[in-house]
Amino acid sequence: MLQITADVFSGRSQPSWIVDDAEATAIARELADLTSPEEAAEASATGGLGFRGFFVESLSDEIGGDVATSYLSLAPPESSGRRLELAERLIASIEGAAAPQTAPADALPLEAPLQQFLREQLEQLPGAEDTLTAPDQRQAQLTDDEVAAAITCTIELGTFNPGFWNNDATVRTRNNCYNYASNWRTDTFAQPGRGSGAMYTAITCAEVSRGAMSDGMHRRFQCFPDSEKPRYLVALVVAPGPGFVDFHWFRKQKGGFWGHKPGGTAARNTDNSGVLITNPETANRGPYTSFCGYFYGCDSQRRRIR
Protein backbone atom coordinates (compact mmCIF):
# COMPACT_ATOMS: atom_id res chain seq x y z
CA MET A 1 0.00 0.00 0.00
CA LEU A 2 1.35 3.41 -1.00
CA GLN A 3 0.45 6.95 0.00
CA ILE A 4 1.06 9.36 -2.86
CA THR A 5 1.28 13.11 -2.24
CA ALA A 6 1.49 15.66 -5.04
CA ASP A 7 4.08 18.31 -4.16
CA VAL A 8 2.39 21.19 -5.95
CA PHE A 9 0.97 23.83 -3.59
CA SER A 10 2.74 26.46 -1.52
CA GLY A 11 0.16 27.62 1.02
CA ARG A 12 -2.59 25.00 1.10
CA SER A 13 -2.52 21.33 2.03
CA GLN A 14 -1.07 18.98 -0.58
CA PRO A 15 -3.43 16.39 -2.11
CA SER A 16 -2.75 12.79 -1.01
CA TRP A 17 -4.27 9.42 -1.87
CA ILE A 18 -3.82 5.75 -1.04
CA VAL A 19 -3.04 3.15 -3.75
CA ASP A 20 -2.98 -0.55 -2.98
CA ASP A 21 -2.76 -4.00 -4.57
CA ALA A 22 -1.10 -4.59 -7.94
CA GLU A 23 -0.93 -0.94 -8.95
CA ALA A 24 1.03 -0.02 -5.82
CA THR A 25 3.56 -2.77 -6.50
CA ALA A 26 4.01 -1.68 -10.11
CA ILE A 27 4.47 1.96 -9.10
CA ALA A 28 7.01 1.09 -6.41
CA ARG A 29 9.04 -1.04 -8.83
CA GLU A 30 9.17 1.70 -11.47
CA LEU A 31 9.93 4.37 -8.88
CA ALA A 32 12.90 2.40 -7.56
CA ASP A 33 14.42 2.38 -11.05
CA LEU A 34 14.13 6.15 -11.44
CA THR A 35 14.89 7.71 -8.05
CA SER A 36 17.50 7.73 -5.33
CA PRO A 37 17.01 7.82 -1.54
CA GLU A 38 18.46 11.33 -1.44
CA GLU A 39 15.84 12.95 -3.67
CA ALA A 40 13.26 13.60 -0.96
CA ALA A 41 15.74 15.57 1.14
CA GLU A 42 17.06 17.45 -1.88
CA ALA A 43 13.53 18.35 -2.98
CA SER A 44 12.70 19.87 0.40
CA ALA A 45 15.80 22.04 0.25
CA THR A 46 15.78 23.19 -3.37
CA GLY A 47 12.13 23.15 -4.57
CA GLY A 48 10.60 26.28 -6.06
CA LEU A 49 7.06 27.32 -6.92
CA GLY A 50 4.87 25.10 -9.07
CA PHE A 51 4.54 21.35 -9.60
CA ARG A 52 7.69 19.97 -7.99
CA GLY A 53 7.01 16.22 -7.91
CA PHE A 54 5.49 13.42 -5.80
CA PHE A 55 6.24 12.00 -2.38
CA VAL A 56 5.54 8.25 -2.39
CA GLU A 57 5.43 6.54 1.00
CA SER A 58 5.20 2.80 1.70
CA LEU A 59 2.66 2.15 4.45
CA SER A 60 3.77 -1.45 4.99
CA ASP A 61 6.73 -3.71 4.18
CA GLU A 62 4.71 -5.72 1.66
CA ILE A 63 5.61 -3.54 -1.32
CA GLY A 64 9.34 -4.22 -0.98
CA GLY A 65 12.35 -1.95 -1.14
CA ASP A 66 14.58 -0.59 1.59
CA VAL A 67 13.29 3.00 1.70
CA ALA A 68 9.92 3.95 3.20
CA THR A 69 9.67 7.34 1.46
CA SER A 70 10.69 8.12 -2.12
CA TYR A 71 10.43 11.30 -4.13
CA LEU A 72 9.82 11.63 -7.85
CA SER A 73 11.27 15.02 -8.78
CA LEU A 74 9.82 16.83 -11.76
CA ALA A 75 12.20 19.76 -11.62
CA PRO A 76 14.34 20.31 -14.74
CA PRO A 77 16.33 18.52 -16.02
CA GLU A 78 14.45 15.56 -14.45
CA SER A 79 11.12 16.57 -16.03
CA SER A 80 11.46 14.38 -19.08
CA GLY A 81 11.04 10.86 -20.37
CA ARG A 82 10.10 8.10 -17.96
CA ARG A 83 9.60 10.45 -15.01
CA LEU A 84 6.83 12.30 -16.78
CA GLU A 85 5.27 9.01 -17.85
CA LEU A 86 5.32 7.76 -14.25
CA ALA A 87 3.90 11.09 -13.05
CA GLU A 88 1.05 10.61 -15.54
CA ARG A 89 0.44 7.16 -14.07
CA LEU A 90 0.43 8.53 -10.51
CA ILE A 91 -2.20 11.10 -11.45
CA ALA A 92 -4.32 8.38 -13.09
CA SER A 93 -4.13 6.33 -9.87
CA ILE A 94 -6.40 8.89 -8.19
CA GLU A 95 -9.37 7.09 -9.80
CA GLY A 96 -10.98 5.04 -7.03
CA ALA A 97 -8.19 5.80 -4.56
CA ALA A 98 -8.89 6.32 -0.86
CA ALA A 99 -8.06 9.42 1.12
CA PRO A 100 -5.61 9.03 4.02
CA GLN A 101 -7.20 8.92 7.46
CA THR A 102 -5.01 11.89 8.40
CA ALA A 103 -6.12 13.99 5.43
CA PRO A 104 -6.67 17.64 6.50
CA ALA A 105 -10.10 19.18 6.27
CA ASP A 106 -9.08 21.51 3.44
CA ALA A 107 -7.66 18.74 1.25
CA LEU A 108 -9.02 18.65 -2.29
CA PRO A 109 -11.45 15.77 -2.89
CA LEU A 110 -10.11 12.84 -4.90
CA GLU A 111 -12.28 13.51 -7.91
CA ALA A 112 -11.95 14.23 -11.61
CA PRO A 113 -11.26 18.00 -11.16
CA LEU A 114 -8.14 17.20 -9.11
CA GLN A 115 -6.87 14.85 -11.82
CA GLN A 116 -7.51 17.47 -14.45
CA PHE A 117 -5.70 20.15 -12.42
CA LEU A 118 -2.63 17.98 -11.86
CA ARG A 119 -2.62 16.88 -15.47
CA GLU A 120 -2.67 20.52 -16.61
CA GLN A 121 0.23 21.33 -14.29
CA LEU A 122 2.16 18.35 -15.62
CA GLU A 123 1.61 19.38 -19.23
CA GLN A 124 3.25 22.75 -18.51
CA LEU A 125 6.58 21.17 -17.50
CA PRO A 126 9.54 21.18 -19.90
CA GLY A 127 9.54 18.09 -22.10
CA ALA A 128 5.89 17.24 -21.47
CA GLU A 129 4.78 17.98 -25.01
CA ASP A 130 7.13 15.33 -26.44
CA THR A 131 6.55 12.74 -23.71
CA LEU A 132 2.96 12.69 -22.48
CA THR A 133 0.05 11.05 -24.24
CA ALA A 134 -1.82 13.52 -26.41
CA PRO A 135 -5.43 14.14 -25.30
CA ASP A 136 -6.97 12.39 -28.33
CA GLN A 137 -4.66 9.39 -27.91
CA ARG A 138 -5.34 9.32 -24.17
CA GLN A 139 -9.08 9.21 -24.83
CA ALA A 140 -8.62 6.29 -27.21
CA GLN A 141 -6.64 4.38 -24.59
CA LEU A 142 -9.30 4.90 -21.95
CA THR A 143 -12.15 3.77 -24.16
CA ASP A 144 -10.54 0.73 -25.84
CA ASP A 145 -11.51 -1.55 -22.97
CA GLU A 146 -11.12 -4.84 -24.83
CA VAL A 147 -7.51 -4.04 -25.68
CA ALA A 148 -6.69 -2.91 -22.14
CA ALA A 149 -8.44 -5.91 -20.62
CA ALA A 150 -6.63 -8.34 -22.92
CA ILE A 151 -3.31 -6.89 -21.79
CA THR A 152 -4.01 -6.78 -18.08
CA CYS A 153 -7.27 -8.37 -16.94
CA THR A 154 -9.90 -10.70 -18.36
CA ILE A 155 -13.49 -9.46 -18.15
CA GLU A 156 -16.87 -10.70 -19.30
CA LEU A 157 -19.20 -8.67 -21.53
CA GLY A 158 -22.85 -9.63 -21.14
CA THR A 159 -25.45 -9.42 -23.89
CA PHE A 160 -27.66 -6.35 -23.58
CA ASN A 161 -31.01 -7.62 -22.25
CA PRO A 162 -33.14 -4.65 -21.17
CA GLY A 163 -36.32 -6.73 -21.03
CA PHE A 164 -35.13 -8.44 -17.85
CA TRP A 165 -35.17 -5.06 -16.08
CA ASN A 166 -38.02 -3.36 -17.93
CA ASN A 167 -40.84 -5.81 -18.56
CA ASP A 168 -41.85 -6.41 -14.93
CA ALA A 169 -42.92 -3.24 -13.08
CA THR A 170 -41.64 -4.55 -9.73
CA VAL A 171 -38.18 -5.26 -11.12
CA ARG A 172 -38.06 -1.95 -12.96
CA THR A 173 -39.08 0.27 -10.06
CA ARG A 174 -37.20 -1.49 -7.25
CA ASN A 175 -33.78 -1.80 -8.90
CA ASN A 176 -31.44 1.02 -9.83
CA CYS A 177 -28.18 1.79 -11.65
CA TYR A 178 -26.03 -0.05 -9.07
CA ASN A 179 -28.18 -3.16 -9.49
CA TYR A 180 -27.76 -2.90 -13.25
CA ALA A 181 -24.00 -2.33 -13.08
CA SER A 182 -23.68 -5.36 -10.79
CA ASN A 183 -26.18 -7.36 -12.92
CA TRP A 184 -27.95 -8.48 -9.75
CA ARG A 185 -31.60 -7.98 -8.89
CA THR A 186 -32.19 -7.24 -5.19
CA ASP A 187 -35.46 -5.23 -5.31
CA THR A 188 -33.86 -2.93 -2.72
CA PHE A 189 -32.56 -0.02 -4.84
CA ALA A 190 -29.05 -1.25 -3.94
CA GLN A 191 -26.59 1.22 -2.46
CA PRO A 192 -22.78 1.02 -2.66
CA GLY A 193 -21.42 -0.23 0.67
CA ARG A 194 -24.75 -0.99 2.33
CA GLY A 195 -24.41 -4.75 1.93
CA SER A 196 -20.90 -4.75 3.39
CA GLY A 197 -21.80 -2.44 6.27
CA ALA A 198 -19.74 0.45 4.92
CA MET A 199 -22.18 2.56 2.94
CA TYR A 200 -20.94 5.84 1.51
CA THR A 201 -21.29 8.86 3.80
CA ALA A 202 -21.39 11.50 1.06
CA ILE A 203 -22.19 11.50 -2.63
CA THR A 204 -18.72 12.15 -3.97
CA CYS A 205 -16.53 10.14 -6.29
CA ALA A 206 -14.28 9.14 -3.41
CA GLU A 207 -17.05 8.04 -1.05
CA VAL A 208 -19.27 6.18 -3.53
CA SER A 209 -16.15 4.46 -4.89
CA ARG A 210 -15.17 3.47 -1.35
CA GLY A 211 -18.60 1.98 -0.70
CA ALA A 212 -18.52 -0.03 -3.92
CA MET A 213 -15.01 -1.30 -3.22
CA SER A 214 -16.13 -2.28 0.27
CA ASP A 215 -18.75 -4.46 -1.42
CA GLY A 216 -15.92 -6.06 -3.39
CA MET A 217 -15.41 -4.03 -6.55
CA HIS A 218 -11.87 -3.40 -7.76
CA ARG A 219 -10.42 -0.41 -9.51
CA ARG A 220 -9.75 -0.93 -13.19
CA PHE A 221 -6.69 -3.07 -14.00
CA GLN A 222 -6.76 -4.77 -10.57
CA CYS A 223 -7.70 -8.20 -11.80
CA PHE A 224 -10.10 -10.79 -10.40
CA PRO A 225 -9.42 -14.55 -10.74
CA ASP A 226 -11.59 -16.82 -12.88
CA SER A 227 -13.42 -17.95 -9.75
CA GLU A 228 -15.02 -14.48 -9.60
CA LYS A 229 -16.71 -14.67 -13.00
CA PRO A 230 -18.62 -12.75 -14.23
CA ARG A 231 -16.24 -9.80 -13.99
CA TYR A 232 -17.88 -6.72 -15.45
CA LEU A 233 -16.31 -3.44 -16.46
CA VAL A 234 -18.37 -0.58 -14.99
CA ALA A 235 -18.06 3.19 -14.75
CA LEU A 236 -19.14 5.62 -12.04
CA VAL A 237 -20.24 9.24 -12.45
CA VAL A 238 -21.54 11.79 -9.97
CA ALA A 239 -23.83 14.81 -10.20
CA PRO A 240 -21.95 17.13 -7.81
CA GLY A 241 -24.60 19.79 -7.41
CA PRO A 242 -25.27 22.34 -6.15
CA GLY A 243 -28.85 21.27 -5.65
CA PHE A 244 -28.96 18.06 -7.66
CA VAL A 245 -26.54 15.55 -6.10
CA ASP A 246 -26.54 11.87 -7.10
CA PHE A 247 -24.41 8.99 -8.43
CA HIS A 248 -24.89 6.77 -11.48
CA TRP A 249 -23.31 3.58 -12.86
CA PHE A 250 -22.82 2.19 -16.39
CA ARG A 251 -21.89 -1.38 -17.46
CA LYS A 252 -19.97 -2.37 -20.61
CA GLN A 253 -21.98 -4.70 -22.88
CA LYS A 254 -21.12 -7.14 -25.62
CA GLY A 255 -21.03 -5.17 -28.84
CA GLY A 256 -18.81 -2.39 -27.52
CA PHE A 257 -21.50 -0.11 -26.08
CA TRP A 258 -22.61 0.60 -22.51
CA GLY A 259 -25.93 -0.03 -20.77
CA HIS A 260 -27.39 1.68 -17.72
CA LYS A 261 -30.59 2.02 -15.73
CA PRO A 262 -31.51 5.48 -14.39
CA GLY A 263 -33.15 4.80 -11.04
CA GLY A 264 -36.52 3.08 -11.31
CA THR A 265 -36.84 3.77 -15.03
CA ALA A 266 -36.11 1.50 -17.96
CA ALA A 267 -32.67 0.08 -18.72
CA ARG A 268 -31.23 1.50 -21.92
CA ASN A 269 -28.04 1.88 -23.93
CA THR A 270 -28.45 5.51 -25.00
CA ASP A 271 -27.50 8.81 -23.37
CA ASN A 272 -29.58 11.94 -22.69
CA SER A 273 -29.40 12.79 -26.40
CA GLY A 274 -30.68 9.37 -27.45
CA VAL A 275 -27.23 8.43 -28.79
CA LEU A 276 -25.77 4.95 -28.32
CA ILE A 277 -23.21 5.09 -25.50
CA THR A 278 -19.83 3.99 -26.80
CA ASN A 279 -17.90 6.04 -24.25
CA PRO A 280 -19.40 6.96 -20.86
CA GLU A 281 -16.87 9.76 -20.47
CA THR A 282 -18.10 11.71 -23.48
CA ALA A 283 -21.79 10.69 -23.47
CA ASN A 284 -24.44 13.28 -22.66
CA ARG A 285 -24.89 12.58 -18.93
CA GLY A 286 -26.94 15.66 -18.05
CA PRO A 287 -26.05 16.89 -14.54
CA TYR A 288 -23.70 13.93 -13.87
CA THR A 289 -20.65 15.95 -14.83
CA SER A 290 -17.99 14.30 -12.63
CA PHE A 291 -16.49 11.16 -14.17
CA CYS A 292 -15.14 9.09 -11.28
CA GLY A 293 -13.43 6.24 -13.12
CA TYR A 294 -13.70 2.61 -14.16
CA PHE A 295 -14.11 -0.42 -11.88
CA TYR A 296 -14.53 -4.18 -12.08
CA GLY A 297 -17.45 -5.96 -10.46
CA CYS A 298 -17.31 -9.64 -9.60
CA ASP A 299 -19.58 -12.48 -8.50
CA SER A 300 -19.00 -12.13 -4.75
CA GLN A 301 -19.49 -8.36 -4.97
CA ARG A 302 -22.84 -8.58 -6.71
CA ARG A 303 -24.09 -11.21 -4.28
CA ARG A 304 -23.17 -8.90 -1.41
CA ILE A 305 -25.03 -5.80 -2.52
CA ARG A 306 -28.21 -4.73 -0.76
mmCIF file of all heavy atoms in Angstrom, residues 94-124:
data_model
loop_
_atom_site.group_PDB
_atom_site.id
_atom_site.type_symbol
_atom_site.label_atom_id
_atom_site.label_comp_id
_atom_site.label_asym_id
_atom_site.label_seq_id
_atom_site.Cartn_x
_atom_site.Cartn_y
_atom_site.Cartn_z
ATOM 1 N N ILE A 94 -5.411 8.241 -9.051
ATOM 2 C CA ILE A 94 -6.400 8.888 -8.186
ATOM 3 C C ILE A 94 -7.771 8.238 -8.352
ATOM 4 O O ILE A 94 -8.561 8.186 -7.408
ATOM 5 C CB ILE A 94 -6.478 10.398 -8.493
ATOM 6 C CG1 ILE A 94 -5.169 11.090 -8.087
ATOM 7 C CG2 ILE A 94 -7.666 11.055 -7.778
ATOM 8 C CD1 ILE A 94 -5.102 12.559 -8.485
ATOM 9 N N GLU A 95 -8.066 7.711 -9.544
ATOM 10 C CA GLU A 95 -9.368 7.087 -9.797
ATOM 11 C C GLU A 95 -9.607 5.948 -8.808
ATOM 12 O O GLU A 95 -8.880 4.967 -8.784
ATOM 13 C CB GLU A 95 -9.434 6.549 -11.223
ATOM 14 C CG GLU A 95 -9.463 7.618 -12.289
ATOM 15 C CD GLU A 95 -9.658 7.037 -13.679
ATOM 16 O OE1 GLU A 95 -9.887 5.817 -13.771
ATOM 17 O OE2 GLU A 95 -9.574 7.794 -14.653
ATOM 18 N N GLY A 96 -10.622 6.082 -7.984
ATOM 19 C CA GLY A 96 -10.976 5.042 -7.033
ATOM 20 C C GLY A 96 -10.083 4.958 -5.821
ATOM 21 O O GLY A 96 -10.269 4.075 -4.983
ATOM 22 N N ALA A 97 -9.093 5.852 -5.706
ATOM 23 C CA ALA A 97 -8.186 5.804 -4.561
ATOM 24 C C ALA A 97 -8.895 6.277 -3.294
ATOM 25 O O ALA A 97 -9.908 6.976 -3.340
ATOM 26 C CB ALA A 97 -6.952 6.672 -4.827
ATOM 27 N N ALA A 98 -8.344 5.903 -2.153
ATOM 28 C CA ALA A 98 -8.895 6.318 -0.861
ATOM 29 C C ALA A 98 -8.098 7.484 -0.311
ATOM 30 O O ALA A 98 -6.903 7.621 -0.575
ATOM 31 C CB ALA A 98 -8.861 5.143 0.121
ATOM 32 N N ALA A 99 -8.758 8.321 0.457
ATOM 33 C CA ALA A 99 -8.064 9.423 1.123
ATOM 34 C C ALA A 99 -7.400 8.914 2.402
ATOM 35 O O ALA A 99 -7.937 8.024 3.073
ATOM 36 C CB ALA A 99 -9.048 10.541 1.460
ATOM 37 N N PRO A 100 -6.239 9.429 2.758
ATOM 38 C CA PRO A 100 -5.609 9.033 4.019
ATOM 39 C C PRO A 100 -6.488 9.410 5.207
ATOM 40 O O PRO A 100 -7.216 10.409 5.175
ATOM 41 C CB PRO A 100 -4.306 9.835 4.029
ATOM 42 C CG PRO A 100 -4.081 10.247 2.613
ATOM 43 C CD PRO A 100 -5.432 10.394 1.999
ATOM 44 N N GLN A 101 -6.419 8.617 6.264
ATOM 45 C CA GLN A 101 -7.196 8.923 7.465
ATOM 46 C C GLN A 101 -6.772 10.244 8.080
ATOM 47 O O GLN A 101 -7.560 10.892 8.769
ATOM 48 C CB GLN A 101 -7.047 7.792 8.480
ATOM 49 C CG GLN A 101 -7.675 6.479 8.037
ATOM 50 C CD GLN A 101 -7.578 5.407 9.106
ATOM 51 O OE1 GLN A 101 -6.859 5.547 10.095
ATOM 52 N NE2 GLN A 101 -8.298 4.318 8.911
ATOM 53 N N THR A 102 -5.534 10.641 7.837
ATOM 54 C CA THR A 102 -5.011 11.889 8.403
ATOM 55 C C THR A 102 -5.170 13.069 7.461
ATOM 56 O O THR A 102 -4.579 14.128 7.690
ATOM 57 C CB THR A 102 -3.525 11.709 8.745
ATOM 58 O OG1 THR A 102 -2.814 11.295 7.556
ATOM 59 C CG2 THR A 102 -3.333 10.653 9.825
ATOM 60 N N ALA A 103 -5.958 12.911 6.397
ATOM 61 C CA ALA A 103 -6.119 13.994 5.431
ATOM 62 C C ALA A 103 -6.710 15.226 6.107
ATOM 63 O O ALA A 103 -7.697 15.136 6.846
ATOM 64 C CB ALA A 103 -7.022 13.547 4.291
ATOM 65 N N PRO A 104 -6.136 16.412 5.887
ATOM 66 C CA PRO A 104 -6.668 17.640 6.500
ATOM 67 C C PRO A 104 -8.021 18.012 5.926
ATOM 68 O O PRO A 104 -8.384 17.586 4.821
ATOM 69 C CB PRO A 104 -5.598 18.691 6.159
ATOM 70 C CG PRO A 104 -4.897 18.155 4.956
ATOM 71 C CD PRO A 104 -4.926 16.666 5.083
ATOM 72 N N ALA A 105 -8.738 18.818 6.667
ATOM 73 C CA ALA A 105 -10.100 19.177 6.273
ATOM 74 C C ALA A 105 -10.138 19.959 4.970
ATOM 75 O O ALA A 105 -11.127 19.900 4.233
ATOM 76 C CB ALA A 105 -10.766 19.985 7.387
ATOM 77 N N ASP A 106 -9.071 20.689 4.652
ATOM 78 C CA ASP A 106 -9.079 21.507 3.439
ATOM 79 C C ASP A 106 -8.505 20.777 2.228
ATOM 80 O O ASP A 106 -8.328 21.380 1.174
ATOM 81 C CB ASP A 106 -8.299 22.802 3.673
ATOM 82 C CG ASP A 106 -6.807 22.561 3.865
ATOM 83 O OD1 ASP A 106 -6.431 21.467 4.352
ATOM 84 O OD2 ASP A 106 -6.018 23.461 3.535
ATOM 85 N N ALA A 107 -8.228 19.489 2.360
ATOM 86 C CA ALA A 107 -7.657 18.744 1.248
ATOM 87 C C ALA A 107 -8.648 18.654 0.093
ATOM 88 O O ALA A 107 -9.850 18.492 0.310
ATOM 89 C CB ALA A 107 -7.252 17.340 1.694
ATOM 90 N N LEU A 108 -8.146 18.756 -1.120
ATOM 91 C CA LEU A 108 -9.015 18.651 -2.289
ATOM 92 C C LEU A 108 -9.591 17.243 -2.388
ATOM 93 O O LEU A 108 -8.890 16.258 -2.146
ATOM 94 C CB LEU A 108 -8.220 18.963 -3.559
ATOM 95 C CG LEU A 108 -7.798 20.422 -3.764
ATOM 96 C CD1 LEU A 108 -6.897 20.537 -4.980
ATOM 97 C CD2 LEU A 108 -9.018 21.302 -3.932
ATOM 98 N N PRO A 109 -10.861 17.106 -2.743
ATOM 99 C CA PRO A 109 -11.447 15.769 -2.887
ATOM 100 C C PRO A 109 -10.803 15.014 -4.041
ATOM 101 O O PRO A 109 -10.378 15.604 -5.037
ATOM 102 C CB PRO A 109 -12.934 16.062 -3.159
ATOM 103 C CG PRO A 109 -12.959 17.448 -3.685
ATOM 104 C CD PRO A 109 -11.838 18.177 -3.015
ATOM 105 N N LEU A 110 -10.745 13.687 -3.889
ATOM 106 C CA LEU A 110 -10.112 12.839 -4.904
ATOM 107 C C LEU A 110 -11.095 12.574 -6.033
ATOM 108 O O LEU A 110 -11.652 11.486 -6.172
ATOM 109 C CB LEU A 110 -9.643 11.533 -4.260
ATOM 110 C CG LEU A 110 -8.664 11.690 -3.097
ATOM 111 C CD1 LEU A 110 -8.294 10.330 -2.541
ATOM 112 C CD2 LEU A 110 -7.427 12.470 -3.530
ATOM 113 N N GLU A 111 -11.297 13.577 -6.848
ATOM 114 C CA GLU A 111 -12.280 13.511 -7.911
ATOM 115 C C GLU A 111 -11.659 13.982 -9.221
ATOM 116 O O GLU A 111 -10.502 14.410 -9.270
ATOM 117 C CB GLU A 111 -13.511 14.352 -7.556
ATOM 118 C CG GLU A 111 -14.212 13.878 -6.284
ATOM 119 C CD GLU A 111 -15.381 14.757 -5.886
ATOM 120 O OE1 GLU A 111 -15.697 15.693 -6.646
ATOM 121 O OE2 GLU A 111 -15.966 14.501 -4.830
ATOM 122 N N ALA A 112 -12.439 13.904 -10.281
ATOM 123 C CA ALA A 112 -11.946 14.230 -11.614
ATOM 124 C C ALA A 112 -11.330 15.632 -11.709
ATOM 125 O O ALA A 112 -10.308 15.805 -12.394
ATOM 126 C CB ALA A 112 -13.075 14.075 -12.635
ATOM 127 N N PRO A 113 -11.888 16.679 -11.066
ATOM 128 C CA PRO A 113 -11.257 17.995 -11.165
ATOM 129 C C PRO A 113 -9.816 18.022 -10.644
ATOM 130 O O PRO A 113 -8.978 18.755 -11.179
ATOM 131 C CB PRO A 113 -12.175 18.887 -10.318
ATOM 132 C CG PRO A 113 -13.503 18.226 -10.411
ATOM 133 C CD PRO A 113 -13.205 16.754 -10.401
ATOM 134 N N LEU A 114 -9.516 17.252 -9.613
ATOM 135 C CA LEU A 114 -8.141 17.198 -9.114
ATOM 136 C C LEU A 114 -7.226 16.566 -10.157
ATOM 137 O O LEU A 114 -6.121 17.056 -10.415
ATOM 138 C CB LEU A 114 -8.083 16.410 -7.810
ATOM 139 C CG LEU A 114 -6.672 16.128 -7.269
ATOM 140 C CD1 LEU A 114 -5.924 17.431 -7.003
ATOM 141 C CD2 LEU A 114 -6.746 15.280 -6.001
ATOM 142 N N GLN A 115 -7.674 15.465 -10.761
ATOM 143 C CA GLN A 115 -6.874 14.846 -11.815
ATOM 144 C C GLN A 115 -6.623 15.818 -12.966
ATOM 145 O O GLN A 115 -5.503 15.912 -13.476
ATOM 146 C CB GLN A 115 -7.578 13.600 -12.342
ATOM 147 C CG GLN A 115 -7.532 12.412 -11.409
ATOM 148 C CD GLN A 115 -8.170 11.200 -12.043
ATOM 149 O OE1 GLN A 115 -9.386 11.097 -12.095
ATOM 150 N NE2 GLN A 115 -7.369 10.278 -12.517
ATOM 151 N N GLN A 116 -7.653 16.530 -13.353
ATOM 152 C CA GLN A 116 -7.511 17.471 -14.455
ATOM 153 C C GLN A 116 -6.528 18.579 -14.097
ATOM 154 O O GLN A 116 -5.684 18.959 -14.920
ATOM 155 C CB GLN A 116 -8.872 18.073 -14.817
ATOM 156 C CG GLN A 116 -8.818 19.051 -15.986
ATOM 157 C CD GLN A 116 -10.190 19.585 -16.348
ATOM 158 O OE1 GLN A 116 -11.203 19.099 -15.868
ATOM 159 N NE2 GLN A 116 -10.227 20.587 -17.197
ATOM 160 N N PHE A 117 -6.612 19.100 -12.863
ATOM 161 C CA PHE A 117 -5.704 20.152 -12.424
ATOM 162 C C PHE A 117 -4.256 19.678 -12.457
ATOM 163 O O PHE A 117 -3.371 20.361 -12.991
ATOM 164 C CB PHE A 117 -6.080 20.604 -11.009
ATOM 165 C CG PHE A 117 -5.012 21.433 -10.348
ATOM 166 C CD1 PHE A 117 -4.794 22.743 -10.731
ATOM 167 C CD2 PHE A 117 -4.220 20.888 -9.339
ATOM 168 C CE1 PHE A 117 -3.793 23.514 -10.126
ATOM 169 C CE2 PHE A 117 -3.230 21.641 -8.730
ATOM 170 C CZ PHE A 117 -3.015 22.954 -9.126
ATOM 171 N N LEU A 118 -3.995 18.485 -11.887
ATOM 172 C CA LEU A 118 -2.625 17.977 -11.859
ATOM 173 C C LEU A 118 -2.124 17.673 -13.261
ATOM 174 O O LEU A 118 -0.941 17.896 -13.569
ATOM 175 C CB LEU A 118 -2.552 16.724 -10.983
ATOM 176 C CG LEU A 118 -2.788 16.948 -9.488
ATOM 177 C CD1 LEU A 118 -2.755 15.617 -8.742
ATOM 178 C CD2 LEU A 118 -1.748 17.910 -8.907
ATOM 179 N N ARG A 119 -3.013 17.152 -14.094
ATOM 180 C CA ARG A 119 -2.618 16.877 -15.468
ATOM 181 C C ARG A 119 -2.224 18.170 -16.181
ATOM 182 O O ARG A 119 -1.215 18.214 -16.907
ATOM 183 C CB ARG A 119 -3.782 16.198 -16.192
ATOM 184 C CG ARG A 119 -3.544 15.982 -17.681
ATOM 185 C CD ARG A 119 -2.646 14.817 -17.955
ATOM 186 N NE ARG A 119 -2.156 14.851 -19.334
ATOM 187 C CZ ARG A 119 -1.586 13.847 -19.950
ATOM 188 N NH1 ARG A 119 -1.414 12.716 -19.314
ATOM 189 N NH2 ARG A 119 -1.164 13.951 -21.191
ATOM 190 N N GLU A 120 -2.987 19.232 -15.983
ATOM 191 C CA GLU A 120 -2.666 20.517 -16.612
ATOM 192 C C GLU A 120 -1.328 21.053 -16.127
ATOM 193 O O GLU A 120 -0.544 21.606 -16.909
ATOM 194 C CB GLU A 120 -3.786 21.521 -16.328
ATOM 195 C CG GLU A 120 -5.084 21.204 -17.055
ATOM 196 C CD GLU A 120 -6.233 22.076 -16.593
ATOM 197 O OE1 GLU A 120 -6.052 22.812 -15.588
ATOM 198 O OE2 GLU A 120 -7.310 22.024 -17.220
ATOM 199 N N GLN A 121 -1.055 20.893 -14.829
ATOM 200 C CA GLN A 121 0.228 21.334 -14.294
ATOM 201 C C GLN A 121 1.373 20.519 -14.895
ATOM 202 O O GLN A 121 2.445 21.053 -15.218
ATOM 203 C CB GLN A 121 0.246 21.209 -12.767
ATOM 204 C CG GLN A 121 -0.801 22.047 -12.051
ATOM 205 C CD GLN A 121 -0.731 23.499 -12.412
ATOM 206 O OE1 GLN A 121 0.318 24.134 -12.273
ATOM 207 N NE2 GLN A 121 -1.840 24.052 -12.890
ATOM 208 N N LEU A 122 1.141 19.224 -15.049
ATOM 209 C CA LEU A 122 2.162 18.345 -15.615
ATOM 210 C C LEU A 122 2.464 18.725 -17.062
ATOM 211 O O LEU A 122 3.632 18.721 -17.492
ATOM 212 C CB LEU A 122 1.688 16.900 -15.529
ATOM 213 C CG LEU A 122 2.700 15.805 -15.886
ATOM 214 C CD1 LEU A 122 3.839 15.785 -14.877
ATOM 215 C CD2 LEU A 122 2.015 14.436 -15.914
ATOM 216 N N GLU A 123 1.438 19.053 -17.818
ATOM 217 C CA GLU A 123 1.615 19.377 -19.228
ATOM 218 C C GLU A 123 2.391 20.670 -19.433
ATOM 219 O O GLU A 123 2.901 20.918 -20.535
ATOM 220 C CB GLU A 123 0.245 19.467 -19.906
ATOM 221 C CG GLU A 123 -0.437 18.110 -20.050
ATOM 222 C CD GLU A 123 -1.863 18.221 -20.553
ATOM 223 O OE1 GLU A 123 -2.423 19.346 -20.506
ATOM 224 O OE2 GLU A 123 -2.418 17.195 -20.984
ATOM 225 N N GLN A 124 2.511 21.500 -18.403
ATOM 226 C CA GLN A 124 3.247 22.746 -18.513
ATOM 227 C C GLN A 124 4.742 22.577 -18.265
ATOM 228 O O GLN A 124 5.524 23.502 -18.493
ATOM 229 C CB GLN A 124 2.685 23.774 -17.521
ATOM 230 C CG GLN A 124 1.259 24.193 -17.822
ATOM 231 C CD GLN A 124 0.682 25.116 -16.761
ATOM 232 O OE1 GLN A 124 1.418 25.756 -16.007
ATOM 233 N NE2 GLN A 124 -0.643 25.196 -16.692
#
